[in-house]
Structure formats: structure tokens, C-alpha cells
Amino acid sequence: MPADTMSSTLEQEIRTNRISIYACAIIGLASFLVGVITDSVTMMLDSSAWGAGVISSILYTHIIKTLDKSPDAKYNFGYSKYEPLVVTVEGLLILSACVLSVKFAIQDLVHPEDPSGYILMIVVTGITGIASLAIGLHTRRVSRKIRSPILASSGLSWCTDGLASLGLCAGFSIGETLARFGASRTMVHNIDPIMAIVLAIVLMLPPARMIRSNMLDLLDANPGAALEASVREFVERFRAEHGLGEVRRLRVRKAGRKVFLNLGFISDGTRTMREMDQIAHEFSSQAGRELGSVDVMVYFDT
């Protein structure tokens, strides 16, 4: 990729991620203040999730700037594991907030307190839902344009959070309607902690999946059948095109957006060192074009 194109892509990625930082901070602060004013466990949980988003988005900015840095004396294999590490931390923050919120929600069910009404919560969650969907759609559009896994994940998260906020808005609207039609105090009160528990359970699922997949990256696990199959298909095609011997070893691992290949061909002894070096260089170049961001080590064995 030309340097000017890479620079433009990096700027778009950083600029879009910066929007996420500011938006998460504003929405998180608004949710926190509403939670304090109305004594709503659900809104406090919501603000915790947005706070985790601020932290992860700030770290993402650092990651975006360092992912393409070359290996150095301190990081011999580069900086690609930063990405799964931060995603894992973000998932742990969200899970911790969910667990604490369930605890407080159960406590609120056992020792009920009168909420201060649902109008303010309806307004804030409604605006949050619409704004989140708009930011999510914009982020996903940019991610497709510049092929950024970080922005693709961020855009999906924004859309999910937007739908969750609209769900909260609908739930609070039901609570307000029940209160206006003379429903019992207990029924009206229990809507908030019950919604907090439901929201916590819903919010636990995506970070749990994020933690699992990114921990596999951190532990250098096999990246999965689909990616491995595409790598093997490429290797076999390259081997046939260049008349190479059988593959002695193929090891594949992934860290964030980067794939690492360790590949050994059986040499027939007829090629010179210069020829083998040219083949290895061509393999790396072609792998980068077809497989995306890759780090390749090719060797020949007798």
C-alpha cells in the first residue's frame, strides 16, 4: 500500500475512533447523572458500560498508531498483540460492571426504593439510542472503506448499544405508563431493577465472546478452520505455480488483524540460495496481497 494511502487510512481510522471517545464520554456522563438523580440501577449500569467504552477507545487510538510499527529490540514480533489484549481488557471491564449491577439490582428488589420517575430516563435513553445507531452506521461504513477490524468491531458495538438503549427507552415508557394508570407501587418500582438484570445479561454475551476469541489470539491458538483452509489453499496454489516440493511444516497463528505464517518446503537441492530467497520474498509479497496483513517466515529443508 502506498505511503500516502496508508497515511490517509490511518487518519480516517484515528478520526473515527476519536468520535467514539467523545460520544462515549458524553453519553456515559449523561447516564451517570441521570442514574444519580433518579436512583436508577439500570442507568448506573449503562454509564459503566459507556465508561468502559471510553477507556477502550482511548487505548484503540494508541493501538492504531502502533500496529504497523516494525519489530524492534523490545518487541521482536511487533505490536500486533496489543489489539486482542485491549479488547480482552474491555470485555473484562464490561463483565465486571454487569456483575456489580446485578448485585445492586437484586439488593434493590429486596429493599425497594421509590424511583424519581421515568420521564428523564426515557428522554436520555431515546436520544442515546438514536445517536448510537447513527455513530455505529457511520463507523461501520468507514471500516468497510478502509478495511479496519477495530472500527468494524466498534461499529457493531455502537449499533448493539443503540438497540439496547432503545429497548431501555421502551421499558421505561412501559413503567411510566403503568404509573400513570395507577399500577401498584411495587410493580412500578420493580421495572428498573428487573431491566437492569436483563440488560446485564444481554451485555455479558458480547464481551464473553470477545474475551474468548481474543484470549485464543494471545495464547497463539489455531485461528480457526476457515482461515487455516484459506491459508492452506493459497500455499498449495503457490507451491504448484513455482514447482516447489511438499510442505514440511505449516504453522498459523493470529493476533488481532495480523496473521503469522511459519512455512517450510522440502527442497530438491537444485535451487541456489539466491533462488530460494527470491521465492521466499515472492511468497511474502503475494501472501500480503491475498491474505491481508501477514508476517511470513519461509524456509527450505532437505
Side-chain angles (χ1 to χ4, degrees):
M1 182 182 293
D4 56 344
T5 303
M6 184 178 297
S7 175
S8 175
T9 298
L10 181 63
E11 288 177 3
Q12 288 186 67
E13 203 167 10
I14 293 175
R15 184 168 57 249
T16 304
N17 190 65
R18 190 173 291 124
I19 293 174
S20 293
I21 296 175
Y22 296 145
C24 281
I26 294 171
I27 294 173
L29 179 60
S31 296
F32 175 76
L33 292 176
V34 171
V36 171
I37 293 170
T38 61
D39 194 28
S40 169
V41 180
T42 303
M43 295 305 295
M44 296 301 289
L45 167 59
D46 197 44
S47 69
S48 299
W50 291 112
V54 172
I55 295 173
S56 61
S57 294
I58 292 173
L59 293 175
Y60 278 153
T61 299
H62 176 68
I63 289 172
I64 292 169
K65 294 178 180 178
T66 59
L67 277 178
D68 291 326
K69 289 178 66 175
S70 301
D72 52 34
K74 187 174 182 179
Y75 294 95
N76 292 177
F77 295 94
Y79 295 79
S80 55
K81 284 195 176 182
Y82 271 27
E83 189 171 0
L85 175 62
V86 171
V87 173
T88 300
V89 171
E90 179 187 9
L92 291 173
L93 288 173
I94 295 175
L95 281 181
S96 300
C98 289
V99 171
L100 286 175
S101 295
V102 169
K103 182 261 185 188
F104 287 123
I106 293 175
Q107 180 178 311
D108 211 21
L109 285 172
V110 176
H111 304 288
E113 298 178 4
D114 285 326
S116 301
Y118 291 122
I119 295 296
L120 187 57
M121 290 180 271
I122 292 171
V123 173
V124 171
T125 52
I127 295 174
T128 296
I130 295 172
S132 298
L133 287 175
I135 294 172
L137 293 174
H138 170 70
T139 303
R140 296 187 72 179
R141 181 180 62 80
V142 176
S143 73
R144 287 192 294 269
K145 180 180 178 181
I146 64 177
R147 299 181 181 180
S148 168
I150 283 181
L151 293 185
S153 175
S154 177
L156 179 60
S157 178
W158 272 107
C159 290
T160 301
D161 291 340
L163 293 174
S165 293
L166 292 178
L168 291 179
C169 181
F172 288 135
S173 298
I174 292 173
E176 182 66 22
T177 302
L178 290 175
R180 290 180 180 275
F181 279 90
S184 68
R185 172 181 173 276
T186 301
M187 179 183 295
V188 175
H189 165 268
N190 286 344
I191 286 178
D192 180 56
I194 289 174
M195 285 183 60
I197 294 173
V198 172
L199 177 61
I201 293 173
V202 171
L203 288 176
M204 281 181 179
L205 297 179
R209 288 194 291 265
M210 286 163 48
I211 292 171
R212 180 183 180 279
S213 61
N214 285 278
M215 280 298 296
L216 292 176
D217 280 9
L218 292 173
L219 296 173
D220 293 336
N222 185 290
L227 178 58
E228 185 178 11
S230 64
V231 169
R232 290 188 178 278
E233 187 276 331
F234 167 74
V235 170
E236 181 59 28
R237 179 158 38 85
F238 183 89
R239 186 191 69 79
E241 289 175 358
H242 291 78
L244 301 175
E246 296 297 322
V247 175
R248 177 177 288 274
R249 185 176 72 176
L250 173 60
R251 292 181 177 176
V252 185
R253 67 181 178 91
K254 185 173 73 71
R257 66 185 70 183
K258 198 163 193 175
V259 177
F260 293 80
L261 303 180
N262 186 304
L263 176 65
F265 292 106
I266 297 178
S267 174
D268 57 10
T270 61
R271 299 179 188 272
T272 65
M273 290 292 293
R274 182 180 180 83
E275 289 174 332
M276 288 188 289
D277 184 64
Q278 289 175 340
I279 290 173
H281 180 74
E282 174 60 25
F283 182 92
S284 297
S285 300
Q286 194 168 330
R289 290 193 297 270
E290 296 196 23
L291 301 176
S293 181
V294 293
D295 187 300
V296 178
M297 186 182 78
V298 179
Y299 68 93
F300 294 86
D301 202 358
T302 56

